[in-house]
Amino acid sequence: MTDPYAIQPSELDQLPDRDPEETAEWRASLDAVAREAGPHRAAYLMRRTLERAEGNGISLPRLTETDYVNTIPTAAEPPVPGDEEMERRITAWNRWNAAAMVTRGAKHGVGGHIATFASAAWLYETGFNHFFKGKEADGSGDQLYIQGHASPGIYARAFLDGRLDEAHLDNFRQEAGGNGLPSYPHPRRLPWLWEFPTVSMGLGPLSAIYQARFNRYLTNRGIKDLSASHVWAFLGDGEMDEPESTAALALASREELDNLTFVINCNLQRLDGPVRANFKIVQELEAQFRGAGWNVVKSLWGSAWDELFALDTTGALVRRLRQVPDAQVQTYQTRDAAYIRQDFFGADPALVEMAKLLSDDKILECFHLSRGGHEPRKVYAAYKAAVEHKGAPTVILAQTVKGHTLGQGFASKNANHQMKKLAVDEFKTMRDLLELPISDARFADGVVPYGHPGADSPEVRYLQERRAALGGPAPARRVHPLAPLPAPAEKAFASFDKGSGSQNVATTMAFVRLIKDLVRDKETGKRWVPIVPDEARTFGMESLFPSLGIYSPKGQTYEPVDRDQLMYYKEAKNGQILNEGITEAGSMADFIAASTAYATHGEAMIPFYIFYSMFGWQRTADQMWQLGDQLGRGFLVGATAGRTTLTGEGLQHADGHSPVIAATNPAALSYDPAFAYEIATIVKDGLRRMYGETAPGEDPNVFYYLTVYNEPLPQPAKPSGAGVDEGILKGLYRFNTAESAGLTPVANAPRIQLLGSGTAIHWTLEAQKLLAEDWGVAADVWSATSWTELRRDALQADAALLCGEERVPYVRQALHGAEGPVLAVSDYMRQVPDQIAQWVEQDWSSLGADGFGLSDTRVAARRHFGVDAQSIVVAALAQLAKRGEVKAAAVKEAREKYGL
C-alpha cells in the first residue's frame, strides 16, 4: 500500500524537504485531528498556528481572513481613560441634535441624512475625546477625512462646544443667505471647519493615503516634521466598492504608512440595500486589506456577546456567524426572539442547546443592539491598537447598525438612507432611550427642539477640556498667515523673451526648461513638487532625476542600470520628484495634498503635475473638482496636447476636449499658450497670485491649467509694445499684422482677423502668408492664450451690467475696431473658441478638430479635420465672400488649388 504521507518526487523537486519523516508526522497529526475532532477543529488549529507564525515573524503567506469575531478579545481591552458616563451624555446630545437638524430642515425640502451618523456616533466621539489631535499645538495636528453623510453629527458636536449656534443648524443645507451649513464637508463653503471634501465617494480613501504619504515626504525632505500627525479616514462599507477606495492600498503598505488609519463603518448597508446581501462585506474587506499588507482590526460584537462566546465550547457559534450572509443579519435586526431562535440557533444542534440558556431579552440585546462600533470601550481598544501599530497602516472594520438609536422604524431598514426625518413621537422615544432632559412642552407646534446642556455644563466643560488636551478643536482648517514667497529671479522668465532663434523647441520642452531654472532658485526652489505619472522621459524631464532625485522612503537600495550615464535614475529618501507610476488618480491625489499644504501644515508648496493631456481632465476631472473644493494651488500641465499634434497615437490619445471640461471648473485658470514667452509670463503671474502679493480682488485659491505641445517649432521673440503681458494673462493679444509680418497688402485689400491658440497659431501664421501671396488678402494674427478667461471676464461684465455698472468685456475691447470678420482656430473642438463668440462684435466663424482622433501624420490629421493652413485660407475666403469682399468663385478656386 502507498504511504499517504510519503513525499512525492515532484514535491521534492519543487520544495526540497530535509526531514521527510517530520513532515509526515505533522500531516498525520492534522489528519488525526480532522478524523477525531472534526474538520472545524483542524481548521481552527491551523488558523491559530498560522497566526502564531505570523506573530513570531516567520515568513509564511499571510492569513487573509479570520473568524467573524473581534480581533481584540474583551479580556485584552485597555481601560478607557476619562469619564465614560460623561462621554455617553455628550454623545446622546450629539445624536439628538444631528437628527433634529435634518428633521427641521426637511420642512424646507432640503433633505439630509440621519442614519449614517446614528451608526457611527461612537466611532467619531471616541476619536474626538481621546485620539484626534488639533492644530493649536504644532499647526498640523491630525488630518480627518469625515464620511460625508455623517456631517450632521459633526455639526452637532460643533454646536455643543460653541462653534455653531441654533441659527447655523437651522440653515443646514441653506447657504444662500450667508449663514448656512453645507450639506457635506466642503472647505470652500465652510473653510474654518472642513479640511477635506469627501462626499464624492472613493476620493476620500485615495486622498487620505496620499496625504499620509505626503506627510512623510515633507518630513523626509526636512521641510516640516510631521511624525506626530496621523491621518484618519472614515469610510462606509458601501463606499469601498468605488475603485478609487482601494486603488492605493498597496502603496500605503509598501511605504509602511503607519501614520494612517482607515475606519470603515460596516453597517452592512449602502444606499439601496445590503452591501453584500448574499456574502459578508467584513470578511471580504479583511481579505482585501490583509492581502495588501495592512494591519486589520475587527470590532464586530459588543460586550453582550461575551456570554454567548463563553458558551460556545464547540465553535458552533463562530461557524454560524461566518455562514450567515449580511442581508440575514439585517433581518435579525428587525425580527423577534422567536424568529432568531429558529433561524439562527436552529441551524445547529449545539446552538439549539445554547439558545435554551438564553432569555429572549438576551437574544434581542445581542442581535438588535450589541455591536462593536457602538461601544466606546471596543472602539477605544481598536483605535489604540491602530496608533500603536508600527510598520503598516491599519484598517478598523467596525460593525454597526445603520439608524442605531433612531428606533425600529429606522434601524437596518433598506430605505433608511433616504429617510430624512423622525416624527415627534419617534423623537420622544429616542429622548427616553438616550435619557435626555427634554420636556414634552418643548415640542411646540410639532417642532423638534434642539438640545443643549448649557455653555457651562459639566458636559461642555468636559468636551472642551478633552479637546484642549488634544490640541484644540477638530475638525478645523487653519490658514496661518504666511509671508509671501519671494519671486524667483527675473532672468528665469526673461530668457524666453528673445525666442529660440533658428532652434526648434516644443512648448513642453520650454516649460520643463523653465521649471529646471525655477527649482534651482535658492529661496523657493525646494518648495517645488514635480509630479509625473511615469511619463518623465516623454516630457524630457529625465534630466531632473539625478539633480532632484525621485522620492522614495527607502532611498535607493540597488545600483541603477544606467548609473554610468549622466541622467541616471536616482531615488532618494529626500527626493523632490514624485514619480507615481501609471496612476493619474494617484498623481492627482499627490497634487491635492501638496497644493493644500499651506493650510494643512502651514507650508506653501508649489506642485506642478505634468501629464499626458488626454489622461488628465478626461480621466480625473472629479479630482480636479475636489482640488478646487479644497482650495488647492499649483500648476496642472497637459502635455502632448491637442487632437492633431500627437503624431500617430490615435483616437485614445488625441485630446480635443480637455479645455471644455476645464472650463466647467470655477477654480481652474485655463491657458492654451502658443509660445515659450507666453508660458513664462503665465507661470510668473501664477506664482505671484497664488504664492506672492495678491492684487486687490484676486482670489489666491485657484490653480492654473496649461496645455503644452510636443511639436518642435521656432519660438519667436516676445513682441514689444504695451499690453502684451496684459493680453497674455487676460487671454488675447495681437501677435502681428499683415504689415508687421512683412506681407504688404495692396491698397484697400480685404482684411480678416485670425485668432489662434496653442500650436494652431503656427498654421494660422502660414495661412496669413498664403492669404497675402495667393489671394491678396491682409490678415492680422492674434494669440488667444485663454478662451475660457475671456469668457469669464465677459460673463462678469454682463453680470455687472445687470447691476447697473457699465463694463466692456476685455475681448470686445481688444478687438474693437479690428477690420473684417474674425476666424478662430484651435487644435481642440470648435466649442473651445466658440465660448467667446457672442461677445465678438465682428462676424464670427471658427475651425476646430471635432470628432474622434485618428492615427496619422500631423499634416494628414490636420487636413482631415480641416484645420491646416490651406483649410484656414478657404474658411477665410468663405467669410470674406459672404461679405462681398472677395469673389465667391475664389472659395472654389482655393479648394481646387490646395486639393481640399
Side-chain angles (χ1 to χ4, degrees):
M1 180 181 292
T2 304
D3 182 354
Y5 304 110
I7 304 299
Q8 302 301 313
S10 60
E11 294 177 288
L12 280 170
D13 292 341
Q14 187 67 34
L15 278 175
D17 188 345
R18 66 182 184 183
D19 193 340
E21 285 189 27
E22 182 182 37
T23 303
E25 290 173 1
W26 276 84
R27 290 180 169 182
S29 297
L30 181 62
D31 283 356
V33 171
R35 185 170 55 250
E36 299 298 328
H40 297 301
R41 177 61 180 170
Y44 175 85
L45 291 175
M46 288 301 298
R47 284 198 299 273
R48 298 292 88 83
T49 302
L50 285 170
E51 289 171 356
R52 184 70 172 180
E54 186 178 311
N56 288 336
I58 298 172
S59 181
L60 282 173
R62 296 193 69 185
L63 191 66
T64 59
E65 195 177 316
T66 62
D67 287 323
Y68 202 67
V69 297
N70 294 348
T71 303
I72 304 170
T74 301
E77 291 170 2
V80 180
D83 186 332
E84 291 188 53
E85 174 56 25
M86 186 69 72
E87 292 176 19
R88 186 197 65 77
R89 296 206 300 272
I90 290 169
T91 305
W93 285 116
N94 292 339
R95 286 181 182 278
W96 177 272
N97 288 321
M101 178 195 327
V102 177
T103 297
R104 288 166 68 125
K107 292 182 178 294
H108 304 286
V110 296
H113 299 283
I114 299 178
T116 295
F117 178 73
S119 68
W122 277 115
L123 301 180
Y124 290 105
E125 291 300 318
T126 303
F128 285 128
N129 288 328
H130 302 287
F131 290 95
F132 304 157
K133 293 185 286 293
K135 291 180 173 293
E136 293 179 358
D138 64 357
S140 290
D142 287 354
Q143 288 78 59
L144 308 180
Y145 288 77
I146 304 295
Q147 190 179 1
H149 294 137
S151 60
I154 309 305
Y155 291 140
R157 194 171 216 274
F159 169 66
L160 202 64
D161 74 6
R163 293 199 289 166
L164 295 175
D165 57 28
E166 288 194 12
H168 288 109
L169 301 193
D170 264 347
N171 282 298
F172 174 60
R173 291 193 171 196
Q174 299 173 76
E175 299 180 76
N179 195 35
L181 300 178
S183 52
Y184 304 123
H186 286 306
R188 187 168 285 276
R189 289 299 183 203
L190 201 61
W192 61 267
L193 180 72
W194 298 119
E195 270 196 293
F196 307 109
T198 53
V199 86
S200 186
M201 286 188 279
L203 299 190
L206 180 69
S207 295
I209 290 174
Y210 280 89
Q211 182 66 59
R213 197 283 196 91
F214 192 72
N215 290 358
R216 290 281 171 85
Y217 171 89
L218 291 178
T219 300
N220 288 334
R221 288 195 57 214
I223 291 174
K224 184 171 185 179
D225 183 1
L226 297 171
S227 55
S229 285
H230 201 87
V231 177
W232 300 82
F234 288 83
L235 319 168
D237 47 1
E239 179 179 6
M240 300 311 293
D241 282 349
E242 290 285 3
E244 296 89 349
S245 294
T246 55
L249 298 186
L251 167 74
S253 173
R254 184 171 64 246
E255 299 204 359
E256 300 179 356
L257 298 180
D258 50 24
N259 61 337
L260 170 68
T261 297
F262 276 14
V263 181
I264 303 182
N265 178 16
C266 298
N267 57 37
L268 313 186
Q269 286 184 253
R270 53 190 181 199
L271 307 189
D272 288 332
V275 178
R276 292 292 183 272
N278 295 299
F279 306 93
K280 302 191 80 62
I281 185 60
V282 168
Q283 300 300 90
E284 179 182 319
L285 291 174
E286 178 184 26
Q288 193 168 16
F289 278 87
R290 279 181 171 271
W294 286 53
N295 175 46
V296 178
V297 178
K298 293 197 289 191
S299 183
L300 307 181
W301 307 111
S303 55
W305 283 81
D306 290 348
E307 180 182 340
L308 276 67
F309 288 124
L311 295 172
D312 186 27
T313 58
T314 65
L317 176 62
V318 173
R319 289 196 301 274
R320 183 66 177 139
L321 290 173
R322 285 175 64 90
Q323 293 167 357
V324 177
D326 285 351
Q328 190 64 20
V329 173
Q330 300 294 81
T331 299
Y332 295 149
Q333 178 70 36
T334 63
R335 303 300 290 270
D336 59 19
Y339 178 88
I340 298 171
R341 284 182 187 276
Q342 179 181 349
D343 191 87
F344 182 84
F345 292 97
D348 187 298
L351 294 179
V352 171
E353 294 303 312
M354 179 189 294
K356 292 177 180 177
L357 304 175
L358 303 174
S359 67
D360 285 355
D361 286 345
K362 182 65 176 181
I363 289 175
L364 293 179
E365 180 187 12
C366 289
F367 283 84
H368 284 190
L369 301 173
S370 188
R371 300 291 187 273
H374 295 324
E375 295 192 12
R377 185 174 292 271
K378 305 289 184 186
V379 177
Y380 181 87
Y383 285 8
K384 191 170 189 294
V387 297
E388 292 178 354
H389 186 82
K390 301 302 177 186
T394 294
V395 59
I396 294 169
L397 304 175
Q399 185 166 256
T400 66
V401 174
K402 193 165 187 177
H404 184 59
T405 73
L406 299 179
Q408 286 300 98
F410 257 86
S412 293
K413 293 298 178 66
N414 282 339
N416 62 17
H417 193 80
Q418 279 71 37
M419 296 163 69
K420 312 299 182 188
K421 59 184 178 180
L422 293 173
V424 169
D425 287 345
E426 291 173 313
F427 265 106
K428 290 179 179 179
T429 301
M430 180 183 176
R431 171 201 63 189
D432 295 341
L433 175 67
L434 298 176
E435 299 177 351
L436 291 173
I438 299 173
S439 67
D440 287 354
R442 293 193 58 198
F443 290 83
D445 299 322
V447 176
V448 180
Y450 294 120
H452 199 294
D456 196 39
S457 64
E459 292 93 334
V460 172
R461 288 201 306 272
Y462 180 89
L463 182 155
Q464 293 175 342
E465 287 168 2
R466 292 305 308 142
R467 289 311 315 157
L470 287 165
R477 182 178 181 272
R478 297 285 185 270
V479 180
H480 299 281
L482 298 176
L485 294 183
E490 179 63 27
K491 66 179 181 180
F493 305 102
S495 62
F496 292 90
D497 290 353
K498 62 180 182 293
S500 64
S502 59
Q503 182 183 6
N504 289 338
V505 177
T507 51
T508 297
M509 297 301 103
F511 176 81
V512 171
R513 180 186 145 192
L514 174 63
I515 295 301
K516 287 179 183 177
D517 291 340
L518 294 175
V519 296
R520 294 191 188 103
D521 186 86
K522 292 182 179 179
E523 295 290 335
T524 60
K526 70 176 183 178
R527 299 197 172 272
W528 283 89
V529 183
I531 303 167
V532 60
D534 203 37
E535 291 277 6
R537 298 182 194 278
T538 302
F539 309 138
M541 291 175 58
E542 66 268 32
S543 60
L544 297 178
F545 290 169
S547 58
L548 300 184
I550 299 166
Y551 172 73
S552 169
K554 297 287 187 182
Q556 193 153 34
T557 61
Y558 60 91
E559 184 176 353
V561 67
D562 54 0
R563 183 64 180 85
D564 57 344
Q565 297 178 16
L566 180 63
M567 293 184 287
Y568 68 97
Y569 196 82
K570 178 186 175 183
E571 296 188 80
K573 191 172 183 179
N574 64 347
Q576 194 164 349
I577 301 169
L578 292 173
N579 190 316
E580 292 304 351
I582 306 174
T583 168
E584 287 81 8
S587 300
M588 267 306 301
D590 268 335
F591 187 91
I592 292 169
S595 70
T596 54
Y598 72 92
T600 310
H601 299 306
E603 296 288 344
M605 305 302 290
I606 312 171
F608 80 88
Y609 166 33
I610 185 168
F611 50 87
Y612 218 128
S613 180
M614 184 66 157
F615 309 126
W617 286 87
Q618 172 171 292
R619 183 164 293 184
T620 57
D622 195 13
Q623 287 177 285
M624 272 79 164
W625 197 268
Q626 178 189 12
L627 166 66
D629 201 6
Q630 201 167 316
L631 290 81
R633 306 170 183 174
F635 296 95
L636 296 177
V637 183
T640 59
R643 181 147 282 163
T644 71
T645 306
L646 187 57
T647 310
E649 291 284 359
L651 186 154
Q652 294 92 345
H653 290 65
D655 182 8
H657 53 277
S658 284
V660 178
I661 307 174
T664 66
N665 192 310
L669 275 61
S670 180
Y671 287 92
D672 187 24
F675 305 123
Y677 67 78
E678 293 177 352
I679 292 172
T681 301
I682 294 165
V683 171
K684 178 183 176 182
D685 194 67
L687 290 172
R688 176 201 61 78
R689 175 170 178 171
M690 295 184 290
Y691 301 98
E693 297 288 352
T694 304
E698 277 187 331
D699 181 5
N701 298 316
V702 295
F703 59 93
Y704 283 66
Y705 166 54
L706 286 75
T707 53
V708 293
Y709 299 82
N710 69 330
E711 186 174 12
L713 291 164
Q715 296 297 323
K718 187 175 184 178
S720 58
V724 173
D725 282 357
E726 180 188 28
I728 291 172
L729 298 174
K730 289 193 172 182
L732 183 68
Y733 68 98
R734 183 154 49 194
F735 176 73
N736 70 15
T737 63
E739 291 79 5
S740 66
L743 304 170
T744 306
V746 298
N748 300 316
R751 188 173 289 269
I752 189 168
Q753 307 300 315
L754 302 179
L755 280 57
S757 68
T759 196
I761 203 167
H762 295 281
W763 329 324
T764 307
L765 289 167
E766 185 181 350
Q768 179 190 42
K769 184 177 180 182
L770 291 174
L771 283 166
E773 294 177 351
D774 293 353
W775 308 98
V777 171
D780 301 335
V781 174
W782 299 70
S783 179
T785 54
S786 180
W787 309 102
T788 301
E789 287 305 297
L790 291 172
R791 175 179 175 80
R792 287 176 177 170
D793 171 79
L795 289 171
Q796 290 170 6
D798 285 356
L801 186 62
L802 292 175
C803 295
E805 177 188 346
E806 291 287 342
R807 267 188 57 188
V808 179
Y810 176 80
V811 63
R812 185 167 293 168
Q813 295 178 44
L815 290 171
H816 180 67
E819 185 181 346
V822 168
L823 173 59
V825 187
S826 166
D827 201 16
Y828 291 95
M829 57 197 303
R830 290 175 60 185
Q831 187 174 340
V832 176
D834 284 349
Q835 292 180 85
I836 65 169
Q838 72 186 82
W839 293 282
V840 174
E841 61 188 27
Q842 294 85 351
D843 293 338
W844 172 272
S845 63
S846 63
L847 295 175
D850 286 71
F852 289 110
L854 76 165
S855 300
D856 214 311
T857 65
R858 291 178 179 131
V859 172
R862 286 163 186 166
R863 177 57 59 91
H864 169 81
F865 285 108
V867 293
D868 60 350
Q870 293 77 13
S871 298
I872 295 172
V873 170
V874 172
L877 293 174
Q879 279 289 88
L880 293 168
K882 285 182 183 178
R883 297 161 58 94
E885 296 180 18
V886 301
K887 294 179 180 179
V891 180
K892 180 180 179 183
E893 290 173 21
R895 284 202 304 266
E896 294 174 349
K897 177 180 178 66
Y898 301 130
L900 298 178

